[in-house]
Amino acid sequence: MAVEVDDKTWVIDLETALLEDCTAASIYSICKGKSVPDFLRAEVWQICLQVQEKGNQLVLFNEIFDLPEQNILREDCQQFVANLGNEDEDKVSVISDLESILTFYCKSKSLKYEKGNGWIEILLPLIALKLPRSETYNLFEAIKNCYIPRCCKKNGTPFHLFRLLLLYHDPELCSFLDTKRISPDLYCLSWFQSLFAATCTLPVVQAMWDLYFQQADSFFLFFLALVMVVNAREQILSMKNENKQNIVDTLSSMPCALEANDVTDFCSLAQYYALKTPGSFRKDLLKVLYGDSDDLTETSSISQALCLPVSAEELVENAESTQNLDSIECVRFFLVDCRPAEQYNAGHLPTAFHLDCNLMLQEPAAFSTAVQGLLSAQRQALAARSAAGGEHLCFLGSGRVEEDQYTHMVVASFLQKHTHYVSMLTGGYQAIHENFGEDVGNSLDEHNAQSCLVCTPDNASEDSETFRPNASSSDLLGKISAAMKLKSAEVKGKLFDYIVNPTGSNAVERHVSSADKLGKRYRNMAPVFSIDEEDGADAAGLERPEEEEEQETVAISTWLSKPDVIKAFKCHEVKVNGYMYESHLLVTDSHIYVLRDIPGRKGFAHIVVRRLLSAIVKITSKKKHPELITFKYGAPEGDSLVISDMDRLVRC
């Protein structure tokens, strides 16, 4: 009985608030997650969307229906209303309202109507409010502007962001979908285009929008979608033997199962996930997704990000904040500084744990030990409720492209182990340094302006020259370069030697003579084999997505025993974003192949690289990381080489 009295009280409180100058926040505090009564919904939505005093914009409509795609728009309206089952008189009125609103919207915004864009589905819950046409239009326009992200299309920015959020909270599920080549736009495009109206029943949409508009959070959609997918993780992971389309269909239809009684819990879970997620992306992408910005830099950075980005400003504020140490429903970072030791010692944040990324290639055993130490330190800091403790791992590089490719490899190794809550600091140490400005000396521990590469950038070039390859290594590459200019048979021989033994060779030096006529000579060109000639810009510019078509699956033993395979090496394929895959490099008379091992299918692999030997124009390695070999492909153009593609491998 008491519950009924309470329920009646809050409705009266809501009615009273609506008579006054209330806001979405005050409505939210009164409703406390409850669905709004039907007779108050229209007024609540208008206040939350701030359109109660918008006026009649349709007076500007000339009632001429002459869009190039008018027939498609009209047919869509008629077909949609026919499925509603209304009385004939109602159908005519609804069709008229839909077509007028959508036609005026296209004309006023200079937009083209496209079939299946979600607009009609958005209008359905608004038509159900039975408001005048002009007020329905104002609500529709506000929802489109505030809550439907721009670029809702295949490979659009919203879906790159959603994938990063899924990777952050459920890396195993994200990895599974990536392996199946199921990108978010394949299953949640209609969710994003229509704010779930295209897949949920009207009562569910009304209850969801009641809470959604009170939240006044444009990005809440991403967390609703995240909860939808994560809640079905066991079902999705159990479909590993299903074909791609069945999994996509299952994912796409998940919102259909929601009932109105589920909405409050559904939204509460979405709020929880939002609180447990770094917020930098909101500021960075607000104008791109919900404003009029066409910032290609932000769009590109989110589409190419290895993991969720965190800004220096958010990281510093988080490190300085102590008020949320006891709260589990917030983000607390455990900062991992991946710069080389000499850079870390020249200045670092007080709460940073040092994990030298160079160890990963130079001393794998030491790196593994260091990672165990990191995880142990994290557990201890959490148990002690230290200001340096947090569940959320934020990795920090130098901010210099050439070095941060190794930081990316470290981050990728954590992601491949399905580590939760992995993020990376945008701009690295350089961004932290710039964030503190003149106060950097007081804000960083052990800051040494003479050694700090941000304070004295000239030291950076000097530092890169401090490690010299040994004489035998340089001599070997010189010999291979000479051989490359002669003939492919000798190239293969030197290539094997280089892969097996990069730092020394007992080969007899052979010089080019005038009698050599086999193959073309390269004039005025850099050596084909070289140490430390990789250009970080090449890697960035040549990043390419995985092929859409299914890769060929082969038995590794069958390929290793093929008669034309001259030599084979175990290795790790390294993607531009830092991911590493156990693989085999095979060399034949005419080609090199890379077979990537298939996880869970021992003895089988995908053919991920198939290159002509004649296409190789450079084979390089880093001075500090001779294990990392880059094959560059292209063609000579004048006196220079034009690099068109590259593959990276780490010898095992």
Side-chain angles (χ1 to χ4, degrees):
M1 194 69 178
V3 173
E4 292 179 5
V5 173
D6 289 342
D7 284 347
K8 187 175 181 180
T9 301
W10 78 263
V11 173
I12 293 173
D13 289 342
L14 180 58
E15 287 184 276
T16 303
L18 294 175
L19 294 173
E20 301 169 357
D21 189 19
C22 67
T23 63
S26 58
I27 291 173
Y28 182 72
S29 65
I30 293 170
C31 294
K32 291 183 172 59
K34 302 182 188 73
S35 186
V36 175
D38 291 342
F39 70 97
L40 295 177
R41 180 167 288 118
E43 195 172 354
V44 167
W45 286 9
Q46 286 178 316
I47 289 172
C48 290
L49 293 167
Q50 300 179 14
V51 296
Q52 67 271 38
E53 297 178 2
K54 189 81 172 180
N56 184 1
Q57 299 185 74
L58 288 172
V59 295
L60 301 174
F61 184 33
N62 57 14
E63 297 289 338
I64 297 176
F65 300 87
D66 59 353
L67 293 172
E69 60 280 2
Q70 195 71 49
N71 288 339
I72 298 174
L73 190 158
R74 182 171 295 140
E75 288 172 6
D76 283 355
C77 292
Q78 291 170 345
Q79 183 177 354
F80 191 81
V81 173
N83 295 330
L84 296 180
N86 293 33
E87 297 292 333
D88 289 342
E89 290 182 11
D90 290 339
K91 286 183 179 180
V92 173
S93 174
V94 172
I95 290 171
S96 175
D97 285 351
L98 287 176
E99 187 172 3
S100 296
I101 288 171
L102 293 178
T103 301
F104 177 63
Y105 184 74
C106 287
K107 289 189 171 187
S108 63
K109 306 295 182 184
S110 300
L111 296 172
K112 179 183 178 181
Y113 177 80
E114 295 179 1
K115 196 175 186 67
N117 60 11
W119 294 0
I120 294 178
E121 287 85 353
I122 293 173
L123 277 166
L124 176 61
L126 304 181
I127 294 287
L129 297 176
K130 300 188 182 302
L131 291 169
R133 184 183 295 179
S134 62
E135 294 181 23
T136 302
Y137 176 84
N138 290 340
L139 286 170
F140 172 76
E141 182 186 54
I143 292 171
K144 280 286 297 166
N145 289 345
C146 299
Y147 297 117
I148 307 299
R150 298 170 66 200
C151 304
C152 272
K153 58 187 179 183
K154 182 175 175 59
N155 207 35
T157 304
F159 306 111
H160 291 301
L161 172 59
F162 179 76
R163 182 191 166 277
L164 292 179
L165 292 171
L166 181 59
L167 178 66
Y168 192 79
H169 288 282
D170 199 331
E172 182 182 7
L173 180 56
C174 184
S175 176
F176 172 80
L177 294 174
D178 286 348
T179 301
K180 293 288 187 179
R181 300 180 185 277
I182 298 174
S183 55
D185 54 77
L186 293 178
Y187 57 88
C188 63
L189 177 62
S190 65
W191 308 354
F192 281 42
Q193 284 182 331
S194 68
L195 216 59
F196 286 100
T199 48
C200 295
T201 62
L202 180 59
V204 169
V205 175
Q206 289 174 329
M208 190 187 303
W209 287 11
D210 284 344
L211 298 172
Y212 200 110
F213 300 151
Q214 293 169 39
Q215 289 276 340
D217 177 7
S218 297
F219 290 96
F220 195 50
L221 168 65
F222 290 87
F223 296 101
L224 289 171
L226 183 65
V227 169
M228 189 70 67
V229 176
V230 170
N231 272 6
R233 75 181 312 274
E234 299 305 326
Q235 178 187 359
I236 298 303
L237 291 175
S238 70
M239 299 178 74
K240 61 183 179 181
N241 296 323
E242 298 275 350
N243 66 45
K244 176 178 176 178
Q245 193 55 50
N246 285 349
I247 300 174
V248 169
D249 292 342
T250 299
L251 283 162
S252 302
S253 62
M254 286 189 302
C256 300
L258 267 183
E259 297 182 3
N261 292 336
D262 302 325
V263 171
T264 300
D265 290 340
F266 178 49
C267 291
S268 295
L269 274 172
Q271 286 175 300
Y272 173 79
Y273 275 92
L275 286 170
K276 296 281 283 185
T277 306
S280 301
F281 70 88
R282 294 171 177 268
K283 183 178 179 181
D284 295 338
L285 293 176
L286 182 62
K287 290 184 178 179
V288 173
L289 294 180
Y290 297 101
D292 53 4
S293 171
D294 291 314
D295 189 340
L296 296 178
T297 303
E298 289 294 348
T299 300
S300 175
S301 66
I302 206 72
S303 66
Q304 297 177 15
L306 174 60
C307 59
L308 196 67
V310 170
S311 70
E313 182 181 8
E314 179 177 12
L315 181 69
V316 171
E317 288 179 357
N318 188 277
E320 292 175 346
S321 172
T322 57
Q323 59 185 0
N324 292 324
L325 289 179
D326 294 328
S327 174
I328 61 168
E329 293 187 2
C330 69
V331 174
R332 295 294 306 175
F333 290 117
F334 185 83
L335 179 61
V336 184
D337 194 325
C338 293
R339 293 175 298 149
E342 63 272 15
Q343 292 184 35
Y344 177 84
N345 293 333
H348 57 85
L349 281 170
T351 56
F353 180 96
H354 184 231
L355 178 67
D356 191 340
C357 62
N358 288 338
L359 290 175
M360 188 173 185
L361 292 179
Q362 292 177 341
E363 300 179 54
F367 177 77
S368 180
T369 302
V371 169
Q372 294 306 311
L374 182 158
L375 298 175
S376 176
Q378 183 189 27
R379 287 192 295 270
Q380 291 173 21
L382 282 169
R385 295 188 175 181
S386 162
E391 289 181 285
H392 301 253
L393 292 170
C394 184
F395 290 84
L396 178 152
S398 68
R400 298 161 63 206
V401 174
E402 186 67 14
E403 289 172 358
D404 282 351
Q405 60 183 315
Y406 303 110
T407 304
H408 287 151
M409 291 173 67
V410 170
V411 175
S413 72
F414 278 80
L415 293 174
Q416 286 181 305
K417 293 170 186 165
H418 300 154
T419 306
H420 286 68
Y421 306 141
V422 171
S423 63
M424 190 167 178
L425 186 75
T426 304
Y429 173 75
Q430 187 168 339
I432 291 286
H433 198 286
E434 292 171 356
N435 183 77
F436 288 127
E438 295 180 358
D439 197 38
V440 67
N442 298 322
S443 303
L444 296 176
D445 275 7
E446 302 180 67
H447 182 255
N448 184 330
Q450 284 71 43
S451 304
C452 174
L453 296 187
V454 179
C455 294
T456 53
D458 290 343
N459 288 348
S461 57
E462 295 172 12
D463 177 69
S464 64
E465 297 297 323
T466 55
F467 185 100
R468 303 284 183 189
N470 61 36
S472 60
S473 177
S474 295
D475 185 49
L476 171 65
L477 291 176
K479 296 171 188 174
I480 296 176
S481 179
M484 189 69 168
K485 296 173 184 177
L486 290 176
K487 53 186 178 180
S488 62
E490 290 193 32
V491 173
K492 287 197 292 284
K494 296 300 183 181
L495 174 58
F496 301 152
D497 192 14
Y498 178 61
I499 293 172
V500 175
N501 182 23
T503 57
S505 173
N506 297 320
V508 177
E509 183 170 0
R510 184 188 187 288
H511 294 282
V512 181
S513 75
S514 59
D516 293 322
K517 300 291 184 183
L518 299 173
K520 290 184 178 180
R521 295 275 187 92
Y522 288 89
R523 295 186 179 182
N524 303 319
M525 292 176 65
V528 175
F529 291 79
S530 58
I531 292 183
D532 212 16
E533 289 201 6
E534 289 188 44
D535 184 353
D538 283 348
L542 296 174
E543 182 174 8
R544 61 190 188 280
E546 292 283 350
E547 296 82 357
E548 283 298 322
E549 64 272 9
E550 293 295 325
Q551 294 162 325
E552 183 181 351
T553 301
V554 297
I556 297 172
S557 59
T558 301
W559 269 67
L560 292 178
S561 60
K562 281 192 171 189
D564 59 336
V565 174
I566 301 170
K567 205 78 172 179
F569 309 92
K570 290 200 72 173
C571 63
H572 285 87
E573 179 203 7
V574 183
K575 303 302 290 181
V576 176
N577 61 12
Y579 271 91
M580 297 175 66
Y581 301 92
E582 291 187 10
S583 305
H584 291 77
L585 170 67
L586 279 61
V587 185
T588 71
D589 279 321
S590 57
H591 288 76
I592 63 168
Y593 299 89
V594 174
L595 310 184
R596 183 195 295 170
D597 295 13
I598 302 175
R601 293 190 64 187
K602 189 174 181 181
F604 290 89
H606 289 310
I607 302 176
V608 294
V609 173
R610 190 192 307 258
R611 307 280 193 182
L612 284 168
L613 281 180
S614 58
I616 301 173
V617 294
K618 264 184 178 292
I619 302 177
T620 64
S621 75
K622 302 299 294 176
K623 285 189 289 190
K624 292 189 177 181
H625 301 291
E627 304 89 350
L628 179 63
I629 302 173
T630 299
F631 294 85
K632 296 186 179 182
Y633 313 99
E637 189 172 287
D639 291 338
S640 61
L641 286 173
V642 176
I643 306 298
S644 59
D645 212 343
M646 64 172 64
D647 293 310
R648 286 181 170 176
L649 304 172
V650 174
R651 292 181 307 276
C652 292

